[in-house]
């Protein structure tokens, strides 16, 4: 594996948006060694339970636990403390919960991991979901201004609260890089390879485009997990990613 392909592999997160442990583990078996990390979201976590994270970690893979915690600071802090022991590599909260909530989560993760004497997961925030376009943002949610400006503001709030990065659409990569620096993690869903369908994502970009703009990680789900041959689909995504490196 050449350097560009290895770098692409390390940056690719496959979303295990399935509802059974068996399906998730089958995908991990197919793709382990080809991708850098697997995302466990609400669908899988709520159907399979917390043990799914432990089982995946036992297979030696990295896990992004995508539960988007969002509640009052104490509740989110206690939830983060409970999740710290699962062994996930990344956990997230919603930036719209505010800085006090994000700080509570960060402190609780450190406390929970410290009690167990294990490394604390990275903590990142979710800004604006990639399924939301400007019309929804302004007309339905009722927030003023441009989506990009709000994403930048929440990224700065996230950094100020001591978190390591954000989830955002690839269209906000440049503005966040400029505002938050090169060390800030930017995880981008809304990635659609040139050969795949858009689905319900709206603020999207190809793998090569997102990598070229400076994304830290790309999250790809259905174009890989819904393919007849997920291993082949992952390989095709990696090839596109190398074009942006």
């Amino acid at each position: 594996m050449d350097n560009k392909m290895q770098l692409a592999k390390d940056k690719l997160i496959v979303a295990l948006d399935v509802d059974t442990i068996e399906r998730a583990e089958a995908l991990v078996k197919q793709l382990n060694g080809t991708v850098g990390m697997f995302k466990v979201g609400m669908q899988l976590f709520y159907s399979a339970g917390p043990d799914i994270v432990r089982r995946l970690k036992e297979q030696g893979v990295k896990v992004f636990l995508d539960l988007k915690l969002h509640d009052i600071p104490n509740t989110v802090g206690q939830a983060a403390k409970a999740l710290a022991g699962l062994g996930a590599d990344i956990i997230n909260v919603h930036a719209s919960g505010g800085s006090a909530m994000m700080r509570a989560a960060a402190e609780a993760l450190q406390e929970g991991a410290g009690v167990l004497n294990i490394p604390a997961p990275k903590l990142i925030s979710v800004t604006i979901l990639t399924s939301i376009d400007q019309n929804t943002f302004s007309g339905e949610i009722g927030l003023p201004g441009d989506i990009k400006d709000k994403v930048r503001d929440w990224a700065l709030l996230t950094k100020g609260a001591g978190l390591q990065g954000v989830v955002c659409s690839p269209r906000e990569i440049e503005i966040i890089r400029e505002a938050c620096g090169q060390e800030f993690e930017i995880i981008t869903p809304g990635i659609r390879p040139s050969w795949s369908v858009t689905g319900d994502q709206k603020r999207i970009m190809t793998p090569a485009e997102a990598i070229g703009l400076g994304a830290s990680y790309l999250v790809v789900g259905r174009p890989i997990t819904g393919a007849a041959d997920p291993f082949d689909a992952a390989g095709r995504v990696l090839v596109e990613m190398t074009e942006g490196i």
Side-chain angles (χ1 to χ4, degrees), residues 16 18 20-32 38 44 51-52 54-59:
L16 297 174
V18 296
T20 68
I21 290 177
E22 292 75 19
R23 178 60 177 149
E25 291 186 329
L27 284 165
V28 170
K29 185 176 180 180
Q30 283 181 288
L31 299 171
N32 191 4
F38 294 91
L44 180 57
D51 195 49
I52 184 61
R54 299 187 185 96
R55 289 178 64 155
L56 294 182
K57 291 301 296 182
E58 287 171 359
Q59 296 184 41

Side-chain angles (χ1 to χ4, degrees), residues 106-186:
E107 292 166 3
L109 273 183
Q110 293 293 332
E111 181 182 350
V115 169
L116 297 170
N117 196 29
I118 60 174
K122 288 182 179 179
L123 182 62
I124 63 174
S125 79
V126 178
T127 53
I128 306 294
L129 300 175
T130 52
S131 59
I132 294 174
D133 60 13
Q134 189 65 47
N135 288 335
T136 303
F137 179 79
S138 303
E140 295 183 13
I141 301 176
L143 290 172
D146 188 271
I147 285 178
K148 285 187 177 181
D149 293 332
K150 179 57 68 179
V151 171
R152 180 199 58 215
D153 292 346
W154 278 349
L156 286 167
L157 190 72
T158 297
K159 186 176 181 180
L163 279 63
Q164 288 78 48
V166 292
V167 178
C168 67
S169 96
R171 296 188 186 181
E172 289 89 51
I173 294 170
E174 289 181 288
I175 197 170
I176 292 175
R177 273 278 167 257
E178 183 178 349
C180 298
Q182 294 301 311
E183 300 303 314
F184 198 64
E185 304 272 17
I186 300 177

